[in-house]
Amino acid sequence: MMKNYNPVSAQDYIPRDLLKQIQLQRLQKIVAHEYEHVAVYRERMDERGVKPSHIKTLEDIALLPFMMKKDLRDTYPFGLFAMDMSDVVRLHASSGTTGKPIVVGYSKEDIDVWVSCMMRALVAAGVGPGDIIQNSYGYGLFTGGLGAHYGIENLGATVVPTSGGNTERQVMLMRDFGVTGITCTPTYFIHLCEKALQMGLDVRDFPIRVGLFGAEPWTEEMRKRIEGLSGVEAFDIYGLSEMSGPGVGIECECHNGLHIFEDHFYPEIIDPETCEVLPDGEEGELVFTTISKYAMPMIRYRTRDITHIIHEPCACGRTIRKIARISRRSDDMFIIRGVNVFPSQVESALLAVEGSMPHYRIILTRRPDGLDNMTIEVEISGEFDKIKTLEELQAKFSHSVERILGIHAVIKMVPPNTIPRSEGKAKRVFDNRMDSNNQ
């Protein structure tokens, strides 16, 4: 059954046997292309005694070496390119903590694939011609802005290229232009809604009905908060610069996992410690191979995102598999007093308490005796102003955090608009433990 079928999404519904044939053909071709044109990867394959001819089945992908973010930094800027620069029509880059950005390149055909995947993502969220979509992802070297822009435009919808920032003006345009959908980070959309209320406006009175939110992990609790605050239907869209950008996968109307456009991005789940390939349904680290991107292919790229593949058929009729919502990354984890903690766990604990706002910061410090402290700053709504009520609320936060994490945290409640808002990815964790050691 093909509910809400659209010709743009024809590849989403092809029989699994045919899809596997397409995947294998594309995998064999991209591995041969990578082996011939990228010296670093050819050397790694030779060290393993693996040649492109060894890839005879999809399962043979396990013979190939992994790629990691470090590889992009070590070969900066163009060391992983598999085409001559005369065939590279676009460069994007993301900032890195080492000072060197992650650089990715695209051929004209790569851009076409990216656009088609973004169009399929938009269709899955119910967007089509006649919609007016406000694109509040950042334009420029960041992949989000242009990736969403080209998809919206080629689908036949109207794009409003607001990019990030100038939030008050964005609210005005959203209202005046009759915007029906938005693309941005979930935290920035909440900021837009709050700014509207400060201006005496309510986004729930606007025509906007759908939001595609990505570029940062977010929880089901955050979805409920977004939908309650704005009245939009919130869709989780997934992508990463190393693959192409936004449009690697998205939720359908069932909202129980993200469909991966696996005719272009072949997914695996591995044990992050042993690198063993895990069967569908088991949680581990998500690994992708770009089987149709030629300017800079990424083979068995370790994303550090933790999830599992949902093999069961989806009620929407799509045959492409889904992954469970990504709410954490293996490299986002921090250890406090021997306990592994993910920011998404803190978010779930806070938003489970009535009166919390979806703005928080986790501050880690170290006491002179060597013990770690975790302080969680959380905004509360202005209606809580009585001392007794505040004490009760603080106790609820503490209990909720301790119940989910199993450790105690200091809860610091702060007034509305105290925590700085982000126009891009929200920074949640501030690890000052090294600074504490130096004091």
Side-chain angles (χ1 to χ4, degrees):
M1 181 175 64
M2 300 184 186
K3 296 173 66 177
N4 301 327
Y5 174 77
N6 185 306
V8 168
S9 301
Q11 293 296 106
D12 295 356
Y13 299 91
I14 63 175
R16 290 290 309 173
D17 288 345
L18 178 57
L19 174 59
K20 288 182 179 179
Q21 291 178 29
I22 293 171
Q23 288 174 324
L24 178 57
Q25 291 170 0
R26 290 179 175 175
L27 175 64
Q28 291 171 328
K29 190 176 178 183
I30 204 72
V31 170
H33 178 73
E34 180 88 341
Y35 186 84
E36 181 179 354
H37 295 286
V38 181
V40 172
Y41 203 76
R42 180 170 60 250
E43 291 168 4
R44 290 183 185 178
M45 287 180 63
D46 288 345
E47 287 173 0
R48 289 186 170 211
V50 179
K51 301 294 183 184
S53 59
H54 293 157
I55 308 302
K56 301 183 184 301
T57 68
L58 283 174
E59 289 69 30
D60 289 336
I61 195 173
L63 300 172
L64 298 168
F66 292 102
M67 300 178 77
M68 302 179 69
K69 184 168 286 189
K70 183 177 183 295
D71 296 325
L72 287 98
R73 293 188 175 125
D74 289 348
T75 58
Y76 172 88
F78 306 139
L80 293 182
F81 283 18
M83 297 180 79
D84 189 88
M85 284 301 294
S86 62
D87 295 313
V88 175
V89 301
R90 173 107 54 93
L91 297 175
H92 278 288
S94 60
S95 60
T97 56
T98 64
K100 289 184 178 180
I102 301 301
V103 178
V104 290
Y106 307 78
S107 68
K108 174 62 171 65
E109 292 73 21
D110 295 339
I111 295 290
D112 291 342
V113 168
W114 186 11
V115 170
S116 70
C117 289
M118 266 307 307
M119 291 168 65
R120 289 160 67 177
L122 289 157
V123 168
V127 175
D131 274 309
I132 302 173
I133 309 299
Q134 185 163 324
N135 185 17
S136 297
Y137 283 122
Y139 280 67
L141 288 175
F142 174 60
T143 57
L146 286 174
H149 182 113
Y150 276 71
I152 297 164
E153 210 166 61
N154 281 270
L155 187 62
T158 301
V159 60
V160 184
T162 51
S163 191
N166 207 338
T167 304
E168 190 168 317
R169 184 168 180 264
Q170 294 223 27
V171 172
M172 180 190 73
L173 295 178
M174 188 186 298
R175 178 197 62 188
D176 295 349
F177 288 4
V179 166
T180 57
I182 190 167
T183 57
C184 63
T185 64
T187 48
Y188 186 62
F189 183 66
I190 286 177
H191 182 38
L192 279 168
C193 294
E194 293 173 341
K195 178 61 71 174
L197 291 173
Q198 293 170 15
M199 297 166 62
L201 302 170
D202 192 331
V203 171
R204 289 174 294 187
D205 298 330
F206 296 0
I208 187 169
R209 59 177 177 78
V210 62
L212 283 72
F213 304 117
E216 62 188 20
W218 53 293
T219 60
E220 280 299 310
E221 290 79 9
M222 180 71 87
R223 185 207 301 279
K224 293 174 184 175
R225 191 61 59 95
I226 286 172
E227 294 185 340
L229 192 62
S230 66
V232 307
E233 184 177 4
F235 288 82
D236 191 359
I237 184 169
Y238 177 77
L240 58 166
S241 298
E242 297 89 330
M243 296 299 102
S244 62
V248 174
I250 193 170
E251 292 179 317
C252 64
E253 69 269 19
C254 298
H255 295 291
N256 59 0
L258 294 92
H259 288 280
I260 297 297
F261 301 124
E262 54 175 323
D263 51 322
H264 296 295
F265 310 102
Y266 185 78
E268 300 174 86
I269 300 293
I270 65 168
D271 182 312
E273 300 298 327
T274 66
C275 295
E276 174 191 4
V277 178
L278 301 176
D280 289 358
E282 288 197 26
E283 186 178 81
E285 181 182 342
L286 180 60
V287 171
F288 275 122
T289 297
T290 55
I291 54 178
S292 57
K293 185 181 180 188
Y294 281 85
M296 198 188 85
M298 299 301 292
I299 296 179
R300 304 199 80 195
Y301 181 75
R302 297 185 60 174
T303 67
R304 297 299 185 185
D305 291 328
I306 304 298
T307 184
H308 66 269
I309 292 176
I310 302 170
H311 186 69
E312 293 76 20
C314 185
C316 76
R318 287 175 173 81
T319 54
I320 51 175
R321 290 176 295 173
K322 295 185 293 187
I323 59 171
R325 166 189 287 275
I326 294 170
S327 59
R328 59 192 176 97
R329 292 173 52 86
S330 61
D331 53 2
D332 278 347
M333 185 190 78
F334 59 89
I335 300 174
I336 186 85
R337 297 194 288 277
V339 176
N340 296 345
V341 177
F342 292 91
S344 59
Q345 295 174 301
V346 174
E347 180 174 297
S348 295
L350 296 176
L351 292 181
V353 178
E354 184 178 357
S356 69
M357 302 288 283
H359 306 293
Y360 63 93
R361 295 194 297 191
I362 303 166
I363 301 171
L364 307 177
T365 56
R366 182 160 290 151
R367 296 182 347 204
D369 60 7
L371 292 178
D372 291 341
N373 278 337
M374 177 167 64
T375 300
I376 302 172
E377 294 182 352
V378 56
E379 284 189 12
I380 58 173
S381 57
E383 61 196 65
F384 295 92
D385 54 2
K386 296 181 180 178
I387 293 178
K388 184 178 180 181
T389 305
L390 290 172
E391 290 176 348
E392 292 173 352
L393 186 60
Q394 188 172 37
K396 288 179 180 178
F397 282 133
S398 295
H399 175 73
S400 185
V401 169
E402 193 159 351
R403 177 175 57 84
I404 290 180
L405 300 184
I407 58 174
H408 174 73
V410 176
I411 304 296
K412 182 179 179 182
M413 299 184 301
V414 298
N417 302 309
T418 300
I419 294 175
R421 304 301 192 248
S422 172
E423 295 171 5
K425 298 182 182 182
K427 181 172 174 58
R428 301 296 196 189
V429 180
F430 297 82
D431 193 341
N432 301 326
R433 287 177 289 188
M434 190 63 68
D435 295 338
S436 301
N437 284 341
N438 295 332
Q439 290 178 356

